Every structure is written in structure tokens, then in C-alpha cells.
Amino acid sequence: MSEERDRVQAILTEFQNEFAPYASLSLDGASLDNVESKLREVAELKVRHTGKKSPISGAMNLVGKVAPDERAGFGQFVQSAQKEIASKIDAVEKTLNEVIINAKIESERLDVTLPGRRPRTGHLHPITILRQKIEDIFVSMGYAIEDDREIETDHYNFDALNIPEGHPARESQDTFYTTQGFALRSQTSTVQIRAMERRGVPIRIIAPGKVFRRDTPDMTHVPMFHQIEGLCVDKGITMAHLKGTVTEWLKRLFGEDTITRFRPSYFPFTEPSAEFDFSCFKCHGSGKFEGDRCRPCKGSGWIELGGSGMVHPNVLKAVGVDPTVYSGFAFGFGLERMTALMYSIDDIRHMFENDVRFLEQFK
Amino acid sequence: MNISYNWLKDLIDIEMSADEVAAQLTRVGLAVEGIHPHGDDFVLDIDLTSNRSDCLSHLGIARELQVINNSKLIINNYDAPSPGDPNLVNILDANLCNRFTARIIRNVKIGPSPQWLVNRLEAIGERSINNVADITNYVMHELGQPMHSFDLDKLSGGRIVVRKATPGEKITTLDEVDRVLDETMLAICDAEKPVAIGGVMGGLDSSITDSTVSVLLEVAYFKRENIRATSRTLGLGTEASYRFERGVDIENLITASNRATELICELAGGKADDFVDVYPNKFVANQVASADISASVKRLTGLSFETGECVRILTALGITASDDRKTFSSPTWRHDIAIEEDLVEEVARHAGYENIANELPPAYGAGEYQKTEPRKKRLRENLADMGFDEAITYSFIDTRQDGVFENIPGLLNEKLEDKYITLQDSVIDGALRMRPSILPGLLDAVRLNLNFQRRDLKLFEIGKVFAAQTGEYELPNEREILTLVVIGGEISEGKAVTVRELDLYDAKGALEAALEAVGVSNADFTAAEAKHLRKGQTAAVLVEGSRVGYIGRLSDDIAAGYKFKQPVYVAEVDLQAILDMESTPIAYRPLSKYPAVTRDVSLLGDRNISFAATRQAVTEQNFELCRNVSFVDVYEGKGLQDNERSITIRLEYRSDERTLIEDEVEALHKQILSHLEQKLAIKPRF
């Protein structure tokens, strides 16, 4: 029995001698090639010491030579020697593999801060963006979107809007005329007339569109710009509905805390007339922003936006609507001015220069 | 307009501070834009609406405060007029001059004004000239009535004739400009000649000078529309014409004249003499019917105001009610009170717009976008996703662009002598033409961007173009179109250099995608010519067989004009025509259970044999099993003749009933290729 045990012990010792260089392997600074060749050596060691033809596997054959009552003990002894060999090799294999995998991972590490690969995205014009937002709000409030001609007759641009010949608003030098005597519409109010002729009343529309005025371009003037006109005509419509509607859409655009202010004014196509302001979207009406005078509202807390009023009876009569039965409100405002205020754009001419450095800021 | 706070206090008893006055005036619609201290005074800068000519004076503003403050105006009684020689004034045109008063003041000594007067005028931004001129200016700002003083000794015959000017009649006005009058204008004349342009400006020769001793003070009322026309025709606007054309108070003439006379006597040592008032037809103030003013206020504003309260406000504004309170009479100083709604506004603005409720109108129907908007929205988003920035350019362009660009088919009526729409005048040099094409605008934008070193650009614009219709009195043709411009290389987001140079196929691809976004997936492109595009790199765009526009490379001539050194690819199509078409319906085909067999083949032939012709030559054979012909690649150059090219296409064979066998496909493929060779003289290269 002790002879057999000695044989096993000798096998073990031989393994331990052979394994010694790997038992205390120092891999610090070892190259990948080096580690891989060590792994190959260990694999070879594994074949020699754990395979079916390995000495320790052969040692199992010695069990028969051991006295029957000692066989169980001897078997266990061989098995534990086998396990020791296998586990030592596995452990070093694992270590080496880990080093290799880590090295690979390290070598394939990516710079995740490099830009993603994507074609440049274009940008919608800020006027389009704002128009679409406002259209969405009004459609959700039950309004239809309308537009119509940009070159109009005096009838639609003036007469039907209660601006008869000789009226100061008509005689002013604001309107472009074609050589045939047609007017470039100077306000989107023309669509009030066109839409009421087409749809009749009751009616609820907004009409976004281009308008033209004979202003020489400068920082705050352009000869072409965009307006949105609103019109609501029905039985029983009052100025309270005008105020409520204007307040509601401004709240939806600028937030629940937005409030509005209506001031008496004068427009030929409305009576009574009002200009409307809303509490500044930046300073929320305080007039101060981060300790300084708020820029969009010039410190007043209010942003002056547009004109409005109850549709003048002459306008209703012009489209065959009885002003004693129907009443309505209308309002209008300019998109360029609003955009300029929202983004603190100091020069309104940028809107029509199409400088990409300008356009690409509106994402 | 500038209003002095101290001056106001001469006219009305108010306890309010200048700030309070400003806030209250703004509240009732007289917007105070600023308050500026001036010595011990405050000057209010009021932005008046054009209907409130009655407020172009301290008196007018005081009247509004009277309602706000519930206090009374301080009425000053000036010396009553003394009668004079009725022949002093002769009105020959009572339609244009409704009333004319003349006062003679003798022994006047022209000199500087006292300091208080200089200060008052200075506060409201007026310069002092001499005592008499300052007084007439002062009274205008106080009472709203413009007036003019003549040197009586320089008036031929010492009298005034008011008549229309004769054509070509001349006068040198106070501003030392020689002016030619015409028969539409009202001239204030002496016995011989015009000495003033009525309501606009006095003449130089009859004006007050240091040696003037006798003054004829004119205080008159002219027809508003005529003053406006004269002022416009002459290009001469004055403080006087500004007030006359908006309307002054015809019943205030004597008070104003007396006020000025009193001041001249007091400050320039004059002595009041003859006074004549010629007033042929008494002015009739507007009578406004209102069956129930309280109900009307409620109907239009939602405000509940009892009739008594409405009448109180109106009366305080000088609008008097009849006994039954159903008829209201406008005061002579108000020219803007004509209908019941005007009365409602007066009540509402003094009641306060802030007291009107915020209410939404009762629920109505569902909202709706314009019919084409969802597709246009998709079109815009699609183009933006493909890297296009949206431009908006001016609708008027330079006349030098006439005829340079081929416009969308059918826009211009070539039979017309004047095909374009032209503005009478412009505010941008040369930009007189309403654009028939968006391209000039977009190319200007490209130029601007190149100037800022942005060389890789994709721009689009959706907008209207304009052209004359057949009939002279017909409104112009307006069409909504889509225009694209592509130049430079393909930009990758976040990368400093471009990926590759863009070419015609980038522009074409973008246009195809754009068309697909609006529901057109069967657009055709055929080789064509257009005058702004380079020959051989131009295609007509066809949708359902009709031409809707052009795409191609900008011609070298035009590119050179813009100093473009890189190729520019442009497309312009009639968006309106496209949107008017029915979008291609979706025709679903069941998915095949059987695999397809594909064969790529490189065909060598003349380089003018197009892909479309090649594909057509395959599909025209109508083999049910040949399901698709698609493009793989083209090759020209090394190894091929100059006039040759090799085009690689992929043929897809598939059956819906079974798996195809190799031999079957091979036979069919050979048959197809032999047809190609026969028809187009192109054959497999390998």
C-alpha cells in the first residue's frame, strides 16, 4: 500500500515541480503574446497531467493492487490528487484567460465621445415653427386654418374692411401696388372677407400668411412679413370671448401663468377696438430677469403683441352678414416680431437673409 | 404727442400725479409711452390713434380726464368778439372752407416771447420764434385749433379771398420753397394772389416779420379730405395739416381766436380791432341712434352697465343724449362717433377693458387644418430630415432676373406683352418684380452663405410665385411652388469635413423623397432642356404625365454671375399642381411564400442608353416571373471606349406559386438579355 501511495505522491510532486513556474506567475507588464504562449504551455501541461493518458489517471489502475480494505482510502487519495492537479491548472488558465480578455477589451476600447455618425439634419424656418405651433393650438380650440391671395383688389384690402377711399389708413404710403393697380395685401384681414364669403357664418378661423408694407428694411422693419389673423363670428359673441380666446392661446403657448392686458385702441375694421399685451414669457411680468432689466419686455413686464376688437358692422355687412344678429371678434399679430422677442433677435432682417448660421439655431 | 402736466392743470382741477394721469390715460386708450421730467413739469408722450384728433391738444386730454376724474374743465372766458367789416373775408368755395374767422390786431410789436411761454413750448418740444408765432403755436397746442397770422400790410387790398387755386398758380411758402398749386387745392388769397395754402402752410411774403405792426389772425375750418389730398400732392405735412385732415372743432374757432388775440394784446402790445366770422353752413353733428345703449354694451362687451351709467360717461365726453336716451349727439370736436358701436366703445373704454371677463366662446365644431397642410408639413419635415434648411426670401426680385430662369410650366402666359407682375415702386433697389421663380432669392441666399464660408448647403423654400393672367383687370396668377438648391459636400453632423461632394442625384433623390412625402411616388424624370440649366444635366419632372418643373445643374453663365465656383443643383416644381393631384393609393400585395432569385448583370453599350430605356426594355417583355429591375452601379472610363459605359442592373425572379428552379430562371434571364441586345445593342460585359 505505501508503495502505491509513494507512486502517487511522486506523480504529484512531479506535477508540482513542473507547475511551480506557473503557480507564482507574475504577469505585470507581460505582453499579450507572452501571456498567450503561457496559456498554450499551461494547456499542454493540462493535457499531460489531466488527460486519460496522464500519470495520475494511470494511478487509478493501482487501486487493484491495494489491499481490499484500503482500496476506498487509496481511491480517495488518488482522486484528491487528481482534483488538486485539475484545480491548479484551471485556476491558472482562468487567470491567463482573464488577462487576455481584459487586454483585448482594453485594445478595443472606443472613444464614446466621438460624434455619432449621422447626416446633418436641416431646420425649419423659425416662422414656420411658430406658425405650426399656433395652428396646432387653434385647431385644438375648434378653429379652421385659412389663407388666400397675396395680391388683392382694393375691395378686399380696404373697402370691405371699412377703409373707404380717403381714409387715412388707405392713403398712407404703406401699401405696395402693382402697375395694374392691385394691392399686395397689407394685412391678413383680407382673409376675413374671403373666408366669410366662402364659408358664411358662424365661422372660426385663423389665417396665417405673408403681408407687405412699404417699409425700407432696417433692424425693426421689413417690407414683407407674416401675420396671423383670427376671426370668430357667431350669435352672442362678445369682447369677453375675445379676451378669453386670446388669453387661452397665449397660455397654451407660453404657460399657465400667462396673463393678458387689453387697451382701447383704434382699427377701422373693429369697433370697439383693443390692443393686447401679455405678461412677459421671460420675467413673467416682473420686468427683471436675473437681476437685470428684462430684455424682451424692456423692463415693463408686458409684451405688446397685436390688435383686436369686435368686427365692425360694416365689415359684416360687406359680406352680407346681419350685424344685428351676428357679432364677432377678430385679432391679428405679427410673427416676425414675436419670434424676434422670443429669441432676442436684434435684427429682424435676419429672418429673410437665410444665413444658415441663423437658421440652424432653430432646432 | 407731448402733453405738459402743468399745462393740463391750467385746464382742469386734478389731484392726480403725473404718473397717475399717465396710467389713467393709457387705460382709456390714450397710450402714454413715456413720462419725461422737464424742470418742475412732467411731459407725457402720448401715442394717439388716428381717430382721436380731438385729443391733439391739452384741452382734448383734459376732456378725457374730466370723465376719469369726475371733475370739471376750467372754462376761461376770453374777450367777446367785436364786429368788423364783413367784406374783410370772402369765401368763394364754402365746400372746401366751411368756416373762416379773421381778427385784426394793430400796433403789435414783434419781439421775443416771455420766458414762461418759451418754457411751455420747450417742454413739449417746440422752438420759440417770436411772440406772435409762439402764441399761435401755443394756442394750437392748448385748444387744438391751428391758426395763421398774416402781416396785414402785406395783404393786397387788406382782405382775404378763399378760393380754389388756378392751375399753375405759384406761391413761396414759409419754408422758402416755391410751390405750384392746382385747381384741387384751396388757396387763401389777398385781393390778387395766394398768400397761404389753406390749412397747410402760409406764404413767405405775407408772413410776420420784425417790422410787422398789424396782424390778421386767421382761424378757420377746412374740409378734411381736401387738406389730406393737398398735403399729399405737395408732399408737405405740417402740424396744421395734420390736425385739419383729422378734424378740428368747428365750434371752437371763436374761442381759439379770442384766446390768441388776448395773448397777442397782452404779450405783443397789440390792440384788438375788427373781427369777422364767415360761417355759411352751420355744422351738423352726427346723431347716433341707440334703442338701448345698456343692452348694446352688454351685447358687444358682456359688461353690465345700466343706461344711466352709460349716459353719464357719454355726457361727460360731450356726447349728449336725447330725453328718451335713444338718440345721441356727437360733440363737434369728435369726428369718430358715427354708429352705436362707437358709443359702446366710449362706454367700454371708460368702464375699463380690464373689467370685461375672460370667457371662451361656447363649444363649436372641430378644428381643421388647410386640406394640403398635413402633406406640406410632412414635406417640410422630410426635407429637413434630409439636411435641407428652410429659407424664406422676399417675394419681390430684381427686374434683371427677367427671362433668366425657366419658370414652372404654365405659369407665364407667353402671349402677353407683360407677362410679369410689377410693383409701382419698391423699397429695395430694383426689386420691382413679383417673383415668377424662387430661384433668384435662394441663389442670393447661397451667395450670402458662401460669403460666410458656408459652402455646403441644402436649402428649400415653399412659397408663391406670380404671373399676369390674360385679362388686364384679372387678379394675377398665384402659384405655390417648391424650390430646392444643393451645393457643396454632404455634411455629417459633428464632423468638420464633408463626406463627399453632392451631385445631381442628391438633388434628385431629395426631390423624389419630397414628392413621396406629399403622396407622389411615381414621378418621372426625362432628359430635357431649360434655359437656366446646363445642357445634358437637366431633367423635366413629370407627375402623371404632366410636366411640373425642372431639375438640373445651374448653367455656367448664371453660376459665373453669382461667382459660384462649385456646381449648383437646383429644382423647382409646381407644388400646387402636385398637391391638387390624387395621391397614389396604396395597393397591397400579399407576401410571397417562395424565395426570389436575383441576377446582377453588367451591360456594356453606348453611354447614351439610359437606365430608364434599359429598364423599359426589360419590363416591356412582360414576363410575369421577372418581378423587378433595379439599379446597381454604372462604370465608365478605363477599359471602356469613350462612348461606352457599363451599367449593372439587378433582375429579380420570383413566383407566387412555387420555388423557381435554376434552369427555368437561366432560360428566362437569357431571353431577356437577348432582347436587350437586339433592341438597345447592350450586352453582358463579362
Side-chain angles (χ1 to χ4, degrees), chain A residues 274-338:
Chain A
E275 281 175 74
F276 59 92
D277 313 334
F278 66 100
S279 52
C280 180
F281 50 84
K282 193 156 187 183
C283 64
H284 302 274
S286 72
K288 291 236 181 248
F289 187 75
E290 289 171 357
D292 292 328
R293 193 180 80 137
C294 178
R295 219 175 132 190
C297 65
K298 298 195 182 93
S300 72
W302 293 101
I303 303 237
E304 295 179 12
L305 187 59
S308 66
M310 298 303 290
V311 181
H312 196 285
N314 290 351
V315 173
L316 294 174
K317 283 181 202 157
V319 291
V321 172
D322 185 349
T324 63
V325 178
Y326 286 94
S327 57
F329 64 75
F331 58 88
F333 56 93
L335 288 182
E336 276 75 4
R337 210 184 95 79
M338 200 166 168

Side-chain angles (χ1 to χ4, degrees), chain B residues 98-286:
Chain B
N98 308 117
R99 190 177 187 181
F100 195 106
T101 72
R103 160 76 76 180
I104 296 197
I105 307 162
R106 300 189 188 275
N107 300 329
V108 171
K109 184 156 178 23
I110 305 300
S113 295
Q115 198 54 44
W116 70 263
L117 180 53
V118 175
N119 286 349
R120 274 274 160 95
L121 290 175
E122 201 182 79
I124 60 166
E126 296 287 315
R127 193 169 49 93
S128 172
I129 299 166
N130 61 48
N131 46 13
V132 172
D134 288 356
I135 288 163
T136 54
N137 197 17
Y138 181 84
V139 175
M140 176 176 76
H141 284 285
E142 180 168 274
L143 303 179
Q145 174 63 43
M147 50 189 70
H148 182 67
S149 46
F150 294 99
D151 184 330
L152 181 63
D153 297 326
K154 290 184 188 149
L155 296 179
S156 167
R159 62 194 184 92
I160 292 288
V161 177
V162 183
R163 60 163 170 86
K164 277 182 183 154
T166 54
E169 215 165 6
K170 293 195 178 82
I171 182 172
T172 306
T173 41
L174 275 172
D175 53 359
E176 299 181 24
V177 175
D178 294 333
R179 298 183 189 272
V180 181
L181 307 182
D182 67 36
E183 70 281 8
T184 66
M185 299 171 183
L186 189 72
I188 312 296
C189 306
D190 60 12
E192 294 168 6
K193 59 187 182 300
V195 291
I197 305 169
V200 179
M201 192 179 265
L204 186 63
D205 295 342
S206 59
S207 67
I208 302 291
T209 64
D210 290 350
S211 55
T212 299
V213 286
S214 297
V215 168
L216 184 147
L217 179 69
E218 167 206 312
V219 182
Y221 185 97
F222 304 104
K223 188 177 179 183
R224 294 155 59 192
E225 293 80 1
N226 184 249
I227 299 294
R228 183 175 307 125
T230 300
S231 167
R232 277 194 64 178
T233 310
L234 292 174
L236 178 62
T238 59
E239 292 256 21
S241 69
Y242 188 82
R243 286 171 173 77
F244 280 126
E245 68 177 52
R246 284 166 176 75
V248 299
D249 182 1
I250 198 168
E251 295 295 341
N252 194 36
L253 266 49
I254 294 177
T255 305
S257 179
N258 285 346
R259 170 67 165 146
T261 302
E262 186 190 74
L263 282 168
I264 292 172
C265 293
E266 188 188 321
L267 304 177
K271 189 175 176 310
D273 200 347
D274 283 1
F275 176 82
V276 176
D277 172 19
V278 184
Y279 191 4
N281 303 304
K282 186 151 173 68
F283 184 83
V284 183
N286 281 331

Side-chain angles (χ1 to χ4, degrees), chain B residues 75-115:
Chain B
I75 305 293
N76 296 303
N77 285 312
Y78 310 112
D79 273 352
S82 50
D85 175 6
N87 293 323
L88 188 61
V89 174
N90 189 4
I91 298 179
L92 297 182
D93 194 322
N95 180 36
L96 299 188
C97 176
N98 308 117
R99 190 177 187 181
F100 195 106
T101 72
R103 160 76 76 180
I104 296 197
I105 307 162
R106 300 189 188 275
N107 300 329
V108 171
K109 184 156 178 23
I110 305 300
S113 295
Q115 198 54 44

Side-chain angles (χ1 to χ4, degrees), chain B residues 363-382:
Chain B
Y364 177 61
E368 54 177 335
Y369 294 93
Q370 289 200 73
K371 200 173 155 235
T372 55
E373 179 61 19
R375 284 192 285 161
K376 280 200 284 189
K377 194 171 180 184
R378 219 178 127 196
L379 170 66
R380 282 193 164 90
E381 279 162 7
N382 207 303

Side-chain angles (χ1 to χ4, degrees), chain A residues 42-54 89:
Chain A
V42 173
E44 198 190 307
L45 202 70
K46 188 174 181 177
V47 172
R48 276 192 284 112
H49 288 282
T50 63
K52 278 184 181 147
K53 290 173 181 167
S54 63
I89 290 177

